[in-house]
Amino acid sequence: MTDRSDWIPLFPLNTVLFPDGILPLRVFETRYMDMVRDCMKRGIPFGIVLIRSGVEVGGVAEPEDIGCMAHILNWDAEQLGVLLLRTQGGQRFRIIETRVCADNHIEARVEMIDADQPMPITPLHAAAARALELIVDDITSRGEVETGYAFGNPFPAHFHYDDAGWVANRWSEILPIPLQAKQRLLALNDAHSRMTIVHQYLQQHHII
């Protein structure tokens, strides 16, 4: 853990963002439009966190304890009152306390969680890494053929199939598992444990 604690703006959603993961966002609520504009003006990320209770739109949602910073890669405002963002996951954080601002967006004082240390893929997990590579290549090639330059690749630009943490995170994003299961994977401090759980799932469901 680092010793840095700070208040960050939160965007509670019914999704789990992992480090390096790509997350497109369609922002239309005034409170979040203002929050995102402020982040872009200041050049800072905001926190994406899974909703524990409540709803995405309208009310004040209660967030889970562990989230992930979202860095804005690019944005567009094709439609009046709607902001389209492409974000990428950064460092994970643990919420210490939250507060509700005047416009009903949430801020949190957080403790940043150290990034996973690079960990080579073991021979046991090599099949999971190879299967992920085939899926990414297939989705990317089909998307480029079908939509051309308009294709928004759901995967990061740089691939690290030799890194167990990176591979586990990408699988955690795309597996058809409950959001709470994804949240538990995000909260694991050990990349090897995350990879082991993903590998077991892939074997049990005959994916590898």
Side-chain angles (χ1 to χ4, degrees):
M1 297 289 182
T2 63
D3 293 328
R4 187 176 75 85
S5 294
D6 203 358
W7 288 92
I8 64 168
L10 291 185
F11 203 150
L13 293 169
N14 287 313
T15 193
V16 178
L17 177 63
F18 287 81
D20 287 328
I22 299 298
L23 179 64
L25 293 173
R26 184 175 181 272
V27 184
F28 57 88
E29 283 195 84
T30 300
R31 56 178 170 169
Y32 294 123
M33 293 272 284
D34 292 342
M35 183 192 80
V36 167
R37 288 195 185 103
D38 181 62
C39 288
M40 290 191 290
K41 181 179 179 181
R42 296 164 58 194
I44 63 171
F46 53 88
I48 295 290
V49 64
L50 177 65
I51 293 174
R52 177 181 294 164
S53 64
V55 294
E56 285 188 348
V57 180
V60 177
E62 179 186 358
E64 291 286 350
D65 294 333
I66 306 292
C68 185
M69 301 303 293
H71 297 263
I72 300 171
L73 298 179
N74 50 62
W75 63 276
D76 201 350
E78 293 182 351
Q79 181 181 346
L80 183 64
V82 177
L83 195 58
L84 303 178
L85 304 178
R86 181 176 171 85
T87 69
Q88 184 165 21
Q91 197 169 357
R92 293 175 300 154
F93 59 83
R94 177 176 288 103
I95 293 176
I96 298 172
E97 61 179 311
T98 61
R99 63 187 181 192
V100 180
C101 299
D103 63 356
N104 269 359
H105 88 268
I106 305 173
E107 291 184 342
R109 190 164 66 88
V110 303
E111 181 180 44
M112 304 307 294
I113 299 174
D114 290 337
D116 293 331
Q117 292 300 309
M119 183 176 296
I121 287 288
T122 65
L124 176 63
H125 299 147
R130 178 56 181 160
L132 176 66
E133 184 174 5
L134 292 174
I135 290 173
V136 172
D137 288 348
D138 180 62
I139 291 175
T140 300
S141 59
R142 286 193 291 117
E144 290 175 347
V145 168
E146 293 172 3
T147 60
Y149 290 111
F151 176 59
N153 200 319
F155 300 103
H158 302 289
F159 306 130
H160 301 283
Y161 297 111
D162 57 348
D163 184 341
W166 190 92
V167 170
N169 286 345
R170 302 293 76 75
W171 272 118
S172 298
E173 293 164 352
I174 64 177
L175 286 178
I177 58 178
L179 288 173
Q180 284 298 327
K182 292 177 185 279
Q183 180 67 26
R184 287 192 290 272
L185 287 169
L186 178 71
L188 286 173
N189 285 329
D190 180 6
H192 179 74
S193 297
R194 197 179 306 123
M195 185 70 248
T196 298
I197 293 171
V198 166
H199 183 263
Q200 291 173 346
Y201 179 95
L202 296 175
Q203 283 190 318
Q204 291 170 359
H205 291 80
H206 307 292
I207 298 173
I208 59 174

